[in-house]
Amino acid sequence: MEDQQIGLHAIALYFRLCRQHGYEVSQDVFKRFKDENGNFMESLTKDTKGLLSLYEASYFSFDGEKLMEEAKVFTTKHLKGKIENEDLVEQISHALEMPLQHRMLRLEARWYIEAYGKSKDANYLLLEMAKLEFNIVQSMLQGELKDMSR
């Protein structure tokens, strides 16, 4: 993770996924995005996808991680300001409503399938495969529930 070319989105995604699966990652990976005054760089506000990823990652902080608390405040403020004029409005509103880690995975998968279907540059083959996989799993779960209720 030493390469300076790696952006906010990639690092925040890395951080969130590692923490989500129980790996220890230092909050210090985000220090490169702070200015000489110790504040998050204003240039980050142009990277909506990166802000969204940092926002989600900030919910995987441990008690006392000041940098992650600052990240949550910074991203919340700037994401709320982008709701009016961004392509990612639906994703931003969805994330601000409730953080990813508090959502039910199956419902979240369904939401993303629907949101991706509305995207201008959606890969429709990938979308159909996602829908098919979702329906297969849903059918299996319904079958198991049916068996258990007998």
Side-chain angles (χ1 to χ4, degrees):
M1 297 301 294
E2 295 302 324
D3 185 6
Q4 290 291 20
Q5 298 301 317
I6 298 174
L8 179 60
H9 171 67
I11 291 176
L13 184 61
Y14 164 81
F15 179 89
R16 179 179 64 82
L17 290 173
C18 287
R19 287 267 179 112
Q20 190 172 348
H21 293 284
Y23 294 98
E24 283 191 36
V25 179
S26 173
Q27 66 176 346
D28 293 346
V29 296
F30 296 109
K31 282 186 176 178
R32 70 173 62 173
F33 300 106
K34 295 192 118 191
D35 60 21
E36 60 279 348
N37 298 325
N39 300 316
F40 280 99
M41 292 183 249
E42 281 301 312
S43 61
L44 297 176
T45 62
K46 296 176 185 138
D47 180 8
T48 305
K49 198 172 193 177
L51 284 177
L52 201 50
S53 294
L54 181 56
Y55 173 78
E56 293 291 1
S58 71
Y59 279 91
F60 286 89
S61 65
F62 298 127
D63 285 339
E65 286 187 321
K66 188 174 187 235
L67 193 146
M68 296 310 295
E69 292 170 18
E70 292 171 9
K72 190 180 298 180
V73 170
F74 176 79
T75 55
T76 301
K77 173 186 169 190
H78 291 286
L79 286 172
K80 283 182 179 177
K82 290 183 176 284
I83 289 179
E84 301 301 320
N85 56 4
E86 275 294 325
D87 296 334
L88 299 171
V89 166
E90 195 171 357
Q91 275 187 292
I92 293 169
S93 298
H94 188 68
L96 291 173
E97 181 182 313
M98 183 182 298
L100 181 63
Q101 79 172 53
H102 297 159
R103 295 182 183 275
M104 293 175 53
L105 292 178
R106 293 301 301 162
L107 295 177
E108 193 65 6
R110 183 174 180 194
W111 184 88
Y112 270 104
I113 289 170
E114 290 176 16
Y116 185 70
K118 296 174 189 174
S119 175
K120 295 175 221 159
D121 58 347
N123 178 332
Y124 289 101
L125 179 60
L126 181 64
L127 182 62
E128 286 304 312
M129 289 174 60
K131 287 178 182 178
L132 181 61
E133 189 273 342
F134 182 86
N135 290 333
I136 289 170
V137 172
Q138 198 69 7
S139 178
M140 287 174 27
L141 292 172
Q142 288 172 347
E144 290 174 8
L145 183 61
K146 185 178 174 184
D147 291 343
M148 287 176 43
S149 64
R150 283 190 208 153

PDB file of all heavy atoms in Angstrom, residues 99-134:
ATOM      1  N   PRO A  99     -25.437   3.183   7.610  1.00  0.00           N
ATOM      2  CA  PRO A  99     -24.151   2.654   7.140  1.00  0.00           C
ATOM      3  C   PRO A  99     -24.261   1.193   6.706  1.00  0.00           C
ATOM      4  O   PRO A  99     -25.099   0.444   7.207  1.00  0.00           O
ATOM      5  CB  PRO A  99     -23.231   2.787   8.345  1.00  0.00           C
ATOM      6  CG  PRO A  99     -23.998   3.416   9.409  1.00  0.00           C
ATOM      7  CD  PRO A  99     -25.399   3.600   8.991  1.00  0.00           C
ATOM      8  N   LEU A 100     -23.398   0.807   5.819  1.00  0.00           N
ATOM      9  CA  LEU A 100     -23.384  -0.529   5.244  1.00  0.00           C
ATOM     10  C   LEU A 100     -23.355  -1.628   6.303  1.00  0.00           C
ATOM     11  O   LEU A 100     -24.067  -2.621   6.190  1.00  0.00           O
ATOM     12  CB  LEU A 100     -22.170  -0.661   4.314  1.00  0.00           C
ATOM     13  CG  LEU A 100     -21.971  -1.974   3.599  1.00  0.00           C
ATOM     14  CD1 LEU A 100     -23.141  -2.226   2.653  1.00  0.00           C
ATOM     15  CD2 LEU A 100     -20.670  -1.973   2.826  1.00  0.00           C
ATOM     16  N   GLN A 101     -22.549  -1.471   7.317  1.00  0.00           N
ATOM     17  CA  GLN A 101     -22.404  -2.538   8.308  1.00  0.00           C
ATOM     18  C   GLN A 101     -23.675  -2.786   9.116  1.00  0.00           C
ATOM     19  O   GLN A 101     -23.800  -3.809   9.763  1.00  0.00           O
ATOM     20  CB  GLN A 101     -21.235  -2.274   9.239  1.00  0.00           C
ATOM     21  CG  GLN A 101     -21.533  -1.259  10.338  1.00  0.00           C
ATOM     22  CD  GLN A 101     -20.395  -1.180  11.335  1.00  0.00           C
ATOM     23  OE1 GLN A 101     -19.279  -0.985  10.957  1.00  0.00           O
ATOM     24  NE2 GLN A 101     -20.704  -1.357  12.586  1.00  0.00           N
ATOM     25  N   HIS A 102     -24.624  -1.885   9.087  1.00  0.00           N
ATOM     26  CA  HIS A 102     -25.882  -2.062   9.820  1.00  0.00           C
ATOM     27  C   HIS A 102     -26.992  -2.622   8.948  1.00  0.00           C
ATOM     28  O   HIS A 102     -28.121  -2.763   9.407  1.00  0.00           O
ATOM     29  CB  HIS A 102     -26.334  -0.738  10.427  1.00  0.00           C
ATOM     30  CG  HIS A 102     -25.379  -0.205  11.434  1.00  0.00           C
ATOM     31  ND1 HIS A 102     -25.348   1.124  11.797  1.00  0.00           N
ATOM     32  CD2 HIS A 102     -24.388  -0.782  12.150  1.00  0.00           C
ATOM     33  CE1 HIS A 102     -24.404   1.321  12.680  1.00  0.00           C
ATOM     34  NE2 HIS A 102     -23.798   0.184  12.909  1.00  0.00           N
ATOM     35  N   ARG A 103     -26.699  -2.913   7.706  1.00  0.00           N
ATOM     36  CA  ARG A 103     -27.718  -3.385   6.766  1.00  0.00           C
ATOM     37  C   ARG A 103     -27.705  -4.906   6.657  1.00  0.00           C
ATOM     38  O   ARG A 103     -26.690  -5.543   6.886  1.00  0.00           O
ATOM     39  CB  ARG A 103     -27.478  -2.783   5.382  1.00  0.00           C
ATOM     40  CG  ARG A 103     -27.650  -1.289   5.369  1.00  0.00           C
ATOM     41  CD  ARG A 103     -27.444  -0.742   3.964  1.00  0.00           C
ATOM     42  NE  ARG A 103     -27.525   0.687   3.948  1.00  0.00           N
ATOM     43  CZ  ARG A 103     -28.657   1.374   3.844  1.00  0.00           C
ATOM     44  NH1 ARG A 103     -29.793   0.753   3.738  1.00  0.00           N
ATOM     45  NH2 ARG A 103     -28.645   2.693   3.843  1.00  0.00           N
ATOM     46  N   MET A 104     -28.848  -5.461   6.253  1.00  0.00           N
ATOM     47  CA  MET A 104     -28.956  -6.898   6.007  1.00  0.00           C
ATOM     48  C   MET A 104     -28.390  -7.190   4.624  1.00  0.00           C
ATOM     49  O   MET A 104     -28.776  -6.545   3.639  1.00  0.00           O
ATOM     50  CB  MET A 104     -30.413  -7.343   6.101  1.00  0.00           C
ATOM     51  CG  MET A 104     -30.972  -7.218   7.504  1.00  0.00           C
ATOM     52  SD  MET A 104     -32.732  -7.602   7.618  1.00  0.00           S
ATOM     53  CE  MET A 104     -32.836  -9.197   6.865  1.00  0.00           C
ATOM     54  N   LEU A 105     -27.485  -8.157   4.536  1.00  0.00           N
ATOM     55  CA  LEU A 105     -26.757  -8.413   3.299  1.00  0.00           C
ATOM     56  C   LEU A 105     -27.658  -8.747   2.113  1.00  0.00           C
ATOM     57  O   LEU A 105     -27.440  -8.259   1.008  1.00  0.00           O
ATOM     58  CB  LEU A 105     -25.748  -9.537   3.506  1.00  0.00           C
ATOM     59  CG  LEU A 105     -24.576  -9.204   4.424  1.00  0.00           C
ATOM     60  CD1 LEU A 105     -23.667 -10.418   4.578  1.00  0.00           C
ATOM     61  CD2 LEU A 105     -23.796  -8.024   3.894  1.00  0.00           C
ATOM     62  N   ARG A 106     -28.668  -9.577   2.311  1.00  0.00           N
ATOM     63  CA  ARG A 106     -29.534  -9.963   1.187  1.00  0.00           C
ATOM     64  C   ARG A 106     -30.331  -8.762   0.677  1.00  0.00           C
ATOM     65  O   ARG A 106     -30.484  -8.578  -0.522  1.00  0.00           O
ATOM     66  CB  ARG A 106     -30.498 -11.092   1.577  1.00  0.00           C
ATOM     67  CG  ARG A 106     -29.850 -12.406   1.878  1.00  0.00           C
ATOM     68  CD  ARG A 106     -29.030 -12.986   0.749  1.00  0.00           C
ATOM     69  NE  ARG A 106     -29.799 -13.208  -0.458  1.00  0.00           N
ATOM     70  CZ  ARG A 106     -29.271 -13.380  -1.661  1.00  0.00           C
ATOM     71  NH1 ARG A 106     -27.973 -13.344  -1.834  1.00  0.00           N
ATOM     72  NH2 ARG A 106     -30.026 -13.572  -2.714  1.00  0.00           N
ATOM     73  N   LEU A 107     -30.834  -7.946   1.585  1.00  0.00           N
ATOM     74  CA  LEU A 107     -31.577  -6.763   1.160  1.00  0.00           C
ATOM     75  C   LEU A 107     -30.658  -5.760   0.472  1.00  0.00           C
ATOM     76  O   LEU A 107     -31.046  -5.097  -0.492  1.00  0.00           O
ATOM     77  CB  LEU A 107     -32.280  -6.112   2.349  1.00  0.00           C
ATOM     78  CG  LEU A 107     -33.383  -6.939   3.008  1.00  0.00           C
ATOM     79  CD1 LEU A 107     -33.942  -6.210   4.217  1.00  0.00           C
ATOM     80  CD2 LEU A 107     -34.486  -7.262   2.020  1.00  0.00           C
ATOM     81  N   GLU A 108     -29.432  -5.677   0.961  1.00  0.00           N
ATOM     82  CA  GLU A 108     -28.454  -4.774   0.354  1.00  0.00           C
ATOM     83  C   GLU A 108     -28.098  -5.235  -1.059  1.00  0.00           C
ATOM     84  O   GLU A 108     -27.968  -4.427  -1.974  1.00  0.00           O
ATOM     85  CB  GLU A 108     -27.201  -4.694   1.229  1.00  0.00           C
ATOM     86  CG  GLU A 108     -26.270  -3.592   0.873  1.00  0.00           C
ATOM     87  CD  GLU A 108     -26.852  -2.205   1.093  1.00  0.00           C
ATOM     88  OE1 GLU A 108     -27.967  -2.053   1.631  1.00  0.00           O
ATOM     89  OE2 GLU A 108     -26.182  -1.242   0.705  1.00  0.00           O
ATOM     90  N   ALA A 109     -27.954  -6.548  -1.234  1.00  0.00           N
ATOM     91  CA  ALA A 109     -27.657  -7.085  -2.566  1.00  0.00           C
ATOM     92  C   ALA A 109     -28.786  -6.753  -3.535  1.00  0.00           C
ATOM     93  O   ALA A 109     -28.545  -6.337  -4.669  1.00  0.00           O
ATOM     94  CB  ALA A 109     -27.459  -8.599  -2.489  1.00  0.00           C
ATOM     95  N   ARG A 110     -30.016  -6.892  -3.081  1.00  0.00           N
ATOM     96  CA  ARG A 110     -31.162  -6.579  -3.939  1.00  0.00           C
ATOM     97  C   ARG A 110     -31.174  -5.087  -4.296  1.00  0.00           C
ATOM     98  O   ARG A 110     -31.434  -4.709  -5.433  1.00  0.00           O
ATOM     99  CB  ARG A 110     -32.453  -6.961  -3.233  1.00  0.00           C
ATOM    100  CG  ARG A 110     -33.648  -6.722  -4.093  1.00  0.00           C
ATOM    101  CD  ARG A 110     -34.898  -7.241  -3.454  1.00  0.00           C
ATOM    102  NE  ARG A 110     -36.026  -6.984  -4.336  1.00  0.00           N
ATOM    103  CZ  ARG A 110     -37.269  -7.065  -3.970  1.00  0.00           C
ATOM    104  NH1 ARG A 110     -37.570  -7.423  -2.749  1.00  0.00           N
ATOM    105  NH2 ARG A 110     -38.225  -6.801  -4.811  1.00  0.00           N
ATOM    106  N   TRP A 111     -30.882  -4.230  -3.306  1.00  0.00           N
ATOM    107  CA  TRP A 111     -30.849  -2.792  -3.567  1.00  0.00           C
ATOM    108  C   TRP A 111     -29.802  -2.457  -4.630  1.00  0.00           C
ATOM    109  O   TRP A 111     -30.054  -1.676  -5.541  1.00  0.00           O
ATOM    110  CB  TRP A 111     -30.567  -2.020  -2.272  1.00  0.00           C
ATOM    111  CG  TRP A 111     -30.621  -0.550  -2.487  1.00  0.00           C
ATOM    112  CD1 TRP A 111     -31.719   0.245  -2.400  1.00  0.00           C
ATOM    113  CD2 TRP A 111     -29.545   0.316  -2.884  1.00  0.00           C
ATOM    114  NE1 TRP A 111     -31.386   1.554  -2.714  1.00  0.00           N
ATOM    115  CE2 TRP A 111     -30.063   1.615  -3.012  1.00  0.00           C
ATOM    116  CE3 TRP A 111     -28.199   0.115  -3.135  1.00  0.00           C
ATOM    117  CZ2 TRP A 111     -29.285   2.704  -3.374  1.00  0.00           C
ATOM    118  CZ3 TRP A 111     -27.410   1.203  -3.512  1.00  0.00           C
ATOM    119  CH2 TRP A 111     -27.963   2.478  -3.626  1.00  0.00           C
ATOM    120  N   TYR A 112     -28.603  -3.056  -4.503  1.00  0.00           N
ATOM    121  CA  TYR A 112     -27.540  -2.773  -5.461  1.00  0.00           C
ATOM    122  C   TYR A 112     -27.874  -3.285  -6.859  1.00  0.00           C
ATOM    123  O   TYR A 112     -27.533  -2.655  -7.858  1.00  0.00           O
ATOM    124  CB  TYR A 112     -26.193  -3.342  -4.999  1.00  0.00           C
ATOM    125  CG  TYR A 112     -25.435  -2.356  -4.165  1.00  0.00           C
ATOM    126  CD1 TYR A 112     -25.354  -2.484  -2.788  1.00  0.00           C
ATOM    127  CD2 TYR A 112     -24.817  -1.254  -4.749  1.00  0.00           C
ATOM    128  CE1 TYR A 112     -24.684  -1.554  -2.017  1.00  0.00           C
ATOM    129  CE2 TYR A 112     -24.142  -0.318  -3.991  1.00  0.00           C
ATOM    130  CZ  TYR A 112     -24.068  -0.477  -2.634  1.00  0.00           C
ATOM    131  OH  TYR A 112     -23.402   0.443  -1.882  1.00  0.00           O
ATOM    132  N   ILE A 113     -28.553  -4.429  -6.949  1.00  0.00           N
ATOM    133  CA  ILE A 113     -28.961  -4.939  -8.255  1.00  0.00           C
ATOM    134  C   ILE A 113     -29.903  -3.941  -8.920  1.00  0.00           C
ATOM    135  O   ILE A 113     -29.757  -3.605 -10.101  1.00  0.00           O
ATOM    136  CB  ILE A 113     -29.621  -6.331  -8.120  1.00  0.00           C
ATOM    137  CG1 ILE A 113     -28.551  -7.374  -7.770  1.00  0.00           C
ATOM    138  CG2 ILE A 113     -30.349  -6.719  -9.400  1.00  0.00           C
ATOM    139  CD1 ILE A 113     -29.112  -8.735  -7.388  1.00  0.00           C
ATOM    140  N   GLU A 114     -30.875  -3.441  -8.170  1.00  0.00           N
ATOM    141  CA  GLU A 114     -31.818  -2.467  -8.713  1.00  0.00           C
ATOM    142  C   GLU A 114     -31.113  -1.159  -9.086  1.00  0.00           C
ATOM    143  O   GLU A 114     -31.365  -0.582 -10.143  1.00  0.00           O
ATOM    144  CB  GLU A 114     -32.944  -2.204  -7.722  1.00  0.00           C
ATOM    145  CG  GLU A 114     -33.879  -3.381  -7.564  1.00  0.00           C
ATOM    146  CD  GLU A 114     -34.945  -3.163  -6.501  1.00  0.00           C
ATOM    147  OE1 GLU A 114     -35.161  -1.999  -6.094  1.00  0.00           O
ATOM    148  OE2 GLU A 114     -35.553  -4.156  -6.090  1.00  0.00           O
ATOM    149  N   ALA A 115     -30.223  -0.682  -8.225  1.00  0.00           N
ATOM    150  CA  ALA A 115     -29.504   0.564  -8.487  1.00  0.00           C
ATOM    151  C   ALA A 115     -28.595   0.421  -9.709  1.00  0.00           C
ATOM    152  O   ALA A 115     -28.524   1.320 -10.546  1.00  0.00           O
ATOM    153  CB  ALA A 115     -28.690   0.975  -7.260  1.00  0.00           C
ATOM    154  N   TYR A 116     -27.923  -0.712  -9.822  1.00  0.00           N
ATOM    155  CA  TYR A 116     -27.031  -0.946 -10.963  1.00  0.00           C
ATOM    156  C   TYR A 116     -27.831  -1.017 -12.258  1.00  0.00           C
ATOM    157  O   TYR A 116     -27.381  -0.552 -13.298  1.00  0.00           O
ATOM    158  CB  TYR A 116     -26.223  -2.224 -10.752  1.00  0.00           C
ATOM    159  CG  TYR A 116     -25.195  -2.470 -11.830  1.00  0.00           C
ATOM    160  CD1 TYR A 116     -24.069  -1.663 -11.926  1.00  0.00           C
ATOM    161  CD2 TYR A 116     -25.355  -3.503 -12.742  1.00  0.00           C
ATOM    162  CE1 TYR A 116     -23.127  -1.873 -12.918  1.00  0.00           C
ATOM    163  CE2 TYR A 116     -24.415  -3.721 -13.738  1.00  0.00           C
ATOM    164  CZ  TYR A 116     -23.302  -2.905 -13.822  1.00  0.00           C
ATOM    165  OH  TYR A 116     -22.369  -3.113 -14.804  1.00  0.00           O
ATOM    166  N   GLY A 117     -29.028  -1.562 -12.198  1.00  0.00           N
ATOM    167  CA  GLY A 117     -29.890  -1.647 -13.368  1.00  0.00           C
ATOM    168  C   GLY A 117     -30.282  -0.282 -13.910  1.00  0.00           C
ATOM    169  O   GLY A 117     -30.553  -0.122 -15.104  1.00  0.00           O
ATOM    170  N   LYS A 118     -30.305   0.735 -13.055  1.00  0.00           N
ATOM    171  CA  LYS A 118     -30.649   2.098 -13.470  1.00  0.00           C
ATOM    172  C   LYS A 118     -29.451   2.850 -14.046  1.00  0.00           C
ATOM    173  O   LYS A 118     -29.609   3.918 -14.630  1.00  0.00           O
ATOM    174  CB  LYS A 118     -31.192   2.887 -12.276  1.00  0.00           C
ATOM    175  CG  LYS A 118     -32.496   2.347 -11.723  1.00  0.00           C
ATOM    176  CD  LYS A 118     -32.880   3.104 -10.462  1.00  0.00           C
ATOM    177  CE  LYS A 118     -34.059   2.472  -9.756  1.00  0.00           C
ATOM    178  NZ  LYS A 118     -34.325   3.129  -8.469  1.00  0.00           N
ATOM    179  N   SER A 119     -28.259   2.291 -13.864  1.00  0.00           N
ATOM    180  CA  SER A 119     -27.031   2.941 -14.317  1.00  0.00           C
ATOM    181  C   SER A 119     -26.968   2.995 -15.838  1.00  0.00           C
ATOM    182  O   SER A 119     -27.354   2.054 -16.531  1.00  0.00           O
ATOM    183  CB  SER A 119     -25.828   2.167 -13.776  1.00  0.00           C
ATOM    184  OG  SER A 119     -24.637   2.677 -14.281  1.00  0.00           O
ATOM    185  N   LYS A 120     -26.465   4.115 -16.357  1.00  0.00           N
ATOM    186  CA  LYS A 120     -26.350   4.301 -17.807  1.00  0.00           C
ATOM    187  C   LYS A 120     -25.375   3.316 -18.432  1.00  0.00           C
ATOM    188  O   LYS A 120     -25.565   2.860 -19.536  1.00  0.00           O
ATOM    189  CB  LYS A 120     -25.872   5.718 -18.112  1.00  0.00           C
ATOM    190  CG  LYS A 120     -26.820   6.797 -17.723  1.00  0.00           C
ATOM    191  CD  LYS A 120     -26.193   8.159 -17.960  1.00  0.00           C
ATOM    192  CE  LYS A 120     -26.553   9.053 -16.789  1.00  0.00           C
ATOM    193  NZ  LYS A 120     -25.672  10.174 -16.636  1.00  0.00           N
ATOM    194  N   ASP A 121     -24.297   3.017 -17.715  1.00  0.00           N
ATOM    195  CA  ASP A 121     -23.256   2.154 -18.268  1.00  0.00           C
ATOM    196  C   ASP A 121     -23.296   0.737 -17.690  1.00  0.00           C
ATOM    197  O   ASP A 121     -22.278   0.067 -17.584  1.00  0.00           O
ATOM    198  CB  ASP A 121     -21.882   2.787 -18.056  1.00  0.00           C
ATOM    199  CG  ASP A 121     -21.591   3.062 -16.591  1.00  0.00           C
ATOM    200  OD1 ASP A 121     -22.513   2.999 -15.769  1.00  0.00           O
ATOM    201  OD2 ASP A 121     -20.416   3.344 -16.278  1.00  0.00           O
ATOM    202  N   ALA A 122     -24.485   0.258 -17.337  1.00  0.00           N
ATOM    203  CA  ALA A 122     -24.634  -1.076 -16.752  1.00  0.00           C
ATOM    204  C   ALA A 122     -24.310  -2.155 -17.783  1.00  0.00           C
ATOM    205  O   ALA A 122     -24.682  -2.047 -18.950  1.00  0.00           O
ATOM    206  CB  ALA A 122     -26.050  -1.266 -16.218  1.00  0.00           C
ATOM    207  N   ASN A 123     -23.639  -3.183 -17.344  1.00  0.00           N
ATOM    208  CA  ASN A 123     -23.376  -4.365 -18.165  1.00  0.00           C
ATOM    209  C   ASN A 123     -24.572  -5.291 -17.963  1.00  0.00           C
ATOM    210  O   ASN A 123     -24.729  -5.896 -16.913  1.00  0.00           O
ATOM    211  CB  ASN A 123     -22.073  -5.018 -17.709  1.00  0.00           C
ATOM    212  CG  ASN A 123     -21.737  -6.267 -18.474  1.00  0.00           C
ATOM    213  OD1 ASN A 123     -22.608  -6.971 -18.976  1.00  0.00           O
ATOM    214  ND2 ASN A 123     -20.453  -6.560 -18.537  1.00  0.00           N
ATOM    215  N   TYR A 124     -25.426  -5.397 -18.983  1.00  0.00           N
ATOM    216  CA  TYR A 124     -26.691  -6.106 -18.810  1.00  0.00           C
ATOM    217  C   TYR A 124     -26.515  -7.615 -18.649  1.00  0.00           C
ATOM    218  O   TYR A 124     -27.329  -8.261 -17.997  1.00  0.00           O
ATOM    219  CB  TYR A 124     -27.663  -5.752 -19.938  1.00  0.00           C
ATOM    220  CG  TYR A 124     -28.133  -4.333 -19.777  1.00  0.00           C
ATOM    221  CD1 TYR A 124     -27.596  -3.308 -20.533  1.00  0.00           C
ATOM    222  CD2 TYR A 124     -29.061  -4.007 -18.794  1.00  0.00           C
ATOM    223  CE1 TYR A 124     -27.993  -1.995 -20.341  1.00  0.00           C
ATOM    224  CE2 TYR A 124     -29.460  -2.703 -18.593  1.00  0.00           C
ATOM    225  CZ  TYR A 124     -28.932  -1.700 -19.374  1.00  0.00           C
ATOM    226  OH  TYR A 124     -29.320  -0.407 -19.170  1.00  0.00           O
ATOM    227  N   LEU A 125     -25.449  -8.181 -19.188  1.00  0.00           N
ATOM    228  CA  LEU A 125     -25.173  -9.593 -18.966  1.00  0.00           C
ATOM    229  C   LEU A 125     -24.838  -9.820 -17.488  1.00  0.00           C
ATOM    230  O   LEU A 125     -25.359 -10.739 -16.854  1.00  0.00           O
ATOM    231  CB  LEU A 125     -24.025 -10.063 -19.860  1.00  0.00           C
ATOM    232  CG  LEU A 125     -23.616 -11.528 -19.708  1.00  0.00           C
ATOM    233  CD1 LEU A 125     -24.800 -12.449 -20.025  1.00  0.00           C
ATOM    234  CD2 LEU A 125     -22.441 -11.846 -20.613  1.00  0.00           C
ATOM    235  N   LEU A 126     -23.995  -8.958 -16.947  1.00  0.00           N
ATOM    236  CA  LEU A 126     -23.644  -9.041 -15.528  1.00  0.00           C
ATOM    237  C   LEU A 126     -24.883  -8.832 -14.655  1.00  0.00           C
ATOM    238  O   LEU A 126     -25.082  -9.537 -13.664  1.00  0.00           O
ATOM    239  CB  LEU A 126     -22.578  -7.990 -15.194  1.00  0.00           C
ATOM    240  CG  LEU A 126     -22.079  -7.939 -13.757  1.00  0.00           C
ATOM    241  CD1 LEU A 126     -21.372  -9.238 -13.387  1.00  0.00           C
ATOM    242  CD2 LEU A 126     -21.147  -6.759 -13.578  1.00  0.00           C
ATOM    243  N   LEU A 127     -25.722  -7.898 -15.033  1.00  0.00           N
ATOM    244  CA  LEU A 127     -26.952  -7.623 -14.294  1.00  0.00           C
ATOM    245  C   LEU A 127     -27.872  -8.846 -14.285  1.00  0.00           C
ATOM    246  O   LEU A 127     -28.406  -9.222 -13.239  1.00  0.00           O
ATOM    247  CB  LEU A 127     -27.664  -6.413 -14.896  1.00  0.00           C
ATOM    248  CG  LEU A 127     -28.943  -5.962 -14.212  1.00  0.00           C
ATOM    249  CD1 LEU A 127     -28.672  -5.540 -12.775  1.00  0.00           C
ATOM    250  CD2 LEU A 127     -29.570  -4.811 -14.994  1.00  0.00           C
ATOM    251  N   GLU A 128     -28.042  -9.479 -15.435  1.00  0.00           N
ATOM    252  CA  GLU A 128     -28.891 -10.677 -15.507  1.00  0.00           C
ATOM    253  C   GLU A 128     -28.315 -11.817 -14.676  1.00  0.00           C
ATOM    254  O   GLU A 128     -29.057 -12.551 -14.024  1.00  0.00           O
ATOM    255  CB  GLU A 128     -29.082 -11.119 -16.966  1.00  0.00           C
ATOM    256  CG  GLU A 128     -30.007 -10.226 -17.745  1.00  0.00           C
ATOM    257  CD  GLU A 128     -31.382 -10.067 -17.107  1.00  0.00           C
ATOM    258  OE1 GLU A 128     -32.005 -11.084 -16.723  1.00  0.00           O
ATOM    259  OE2 GLU A 128     -31.845  -8.912 -16.978  1.00  0.00           O
ATOM    260  N   MET A 129     -27.006 -11.963 -14.682  1.00  0.00           N
ATOM    261  CA  MET A 129     -26.363 -13.002 -13.864  1.00  0.00           C
ATOM    262  C   MET A 129     -26.572 -12.723 -12.378  1.00  0.00           C
ATOM    263  O   MET A 129     -26.824 -13.638 -11.593  1.00  0.00           O
ATOM    264  CB  MET A 129     -24.877 -13.105 -14.207  1.00  0.00           C
ATOM    265  CG  MET A 129     -24.634 -13.716 -15.575  1.00  0.00           C
ATOM    266  SD  MET A 129     -22.900 -13.706 -16.076  1.00  0.00           S
ATOM    267  CE  MET A 129     -22.137 -14.657 -14.792  1.00  0.00           C
ATOM    268  N   ALA A 130     -26.467 -11.469 -11.980  1.00  0.00           N
ATOM    269  CA  ALA A 130     -26.681 -11.092 -10.576  1.00  0.00           C
ATOM    270  C   ALA A 130     -28.118 -11.389 -10.161  1.00  0.00           C
ATOM    271  O   ALA A 130     -28.365 -11.920  -9.065  1.00  0.00           O
ATOM    272  CB  ALA A 130     -26.351  -9.627 -10.355  1.00  0.00           C
ATOM    273  N   LYS A 131     -29.063 -11.060 -11.021  1.00  0.00           N
ATOM    274  CA  LYS A 131     -30.473 -11.334 -10.722  1.00  0.00           C
ATOM    275  C   LYS A 131     -30.721 -12.832 -10.610  1.00  0.00           C
ATOM    276  O   LYS A 131     -31.421 -13.291  -9.706  1.00  0.00           O
ATOM    277  CB  LYS A 131     -31.381 -10.746 -11.809  1.00  0.00           C
ATOM    278  CG  LYS A 131     -31.501  -9.252 -11.778  1.00  0.00           C
ATOM    279  CD  LYS A 131     -32.391  -8.773 -12.919  1.00  0.00           C
ATOM    280  CE  LYS A 131     -32.510  -7.271 -12.963  1.00  0.00           C
ATOM    281  NZ  LYS A 131     -33.338  -6.828 -14.107  1.00  0.00           N
ATOM    282  N   LEU A 132     -30.139 -13.591 -11.522  1.00  0.00           N
ATOM    283  CA  LEU A 132     -30.298 -15.043 -11.506  1.00  0.00           C
ATOM    284  C   LEU A 132     -29.722 -15.627 -10.220  1.00  0.00           C
ATOM    285  O   LEU A 132     -30.368 -16.447  -9.555  1.00  0.00           O
ATOM    286  CB  LEU A 132     -29.613 -15.660 -12.729  1.00  0.00           C
ATOM    287  CG  LEU A 132     -29.717 -17.170 -12.877  1.00  0.00           C
ATOM    288  CD1 LEU A 132     -31.178 -17.589 -13.011  1.00  0.00           C
ATOM    289  CD2 LEU A 132     -28.917 -17.634 -14.093  1.00  0.00           C
ATOM    290  N   GLU A 133     -28.516 -15.213  -9.851  1.00  0.00           N
ATOM    291  CA  GLU A 133     -27.883 -15.706  -8.620  1.00  0.00           C
ATOM    292  C   GLU A 133     -28.720 -15.332  -7.404  1.00  0.00           C
ATOM    293  O   GLU A 133     -28.933 -16.149  -6.506  1.00  0.00           O
ATOM    294  CB  GLU A 133     -26.467 -15.125  -8.498  1.00  0.00           C
ATOM    295  CG  GLU A 133     -25.641 -15.730  -7.380  1.00  0.00           C
ATOM    296  CD  GLU A 133     -25.823 -15.046  -6.028  1.00  0.00           C
ATOM    297  OE1 GLU A 133     -26.320 -13.906  -5.992  1.00  0.00           O
ATOM    298  OE2 GLU A 133     -25.467 -15.662  -5.024  1.00  0.00           O
ATOM    299  N   PHE A 134     -29.219 -14.103  -7.368  1.00  0.00           N
ATOM    300  CA  PHE A 134     -30.036 -13.659  -6.243  1.00  0.00           C
ATOM    301  C   PHE A 134     -31.287 -14.533  -6.130  1.00  0.00           C
ATOM    302  O   PHE A 134     -31.643 -14.990  -5.046  1.00  0.00           O
ATOM    303  CB  PHE A 134     -30.435 -12.189  -6.415  1.00  0.00           C
ATOM    304  CG  PHE A 134     -31.241 -11.656  -5.270  1.00  0.00           C
ATOM    305  CD1 PHE A 134     -30.614 -11.135  -4.150  1.00  0.00           C
ATOM    306  CD2 PHE A 134     -32.630 -11.693  -5.290  1.00  0.00           C
ATOM    307  CE1 PHE A 134     -31.351 -10.652  -3.076  1.00  0.00           C
ATOM    308  CE2 PHE A 134     -33.375 -11.213  -4.229  1.00  0.00           C
ATOM    309  CZ  PHE A 134     -32.725 -10.690  -3.118  1.00  0.00           C
TER     310      PHE A 134
END
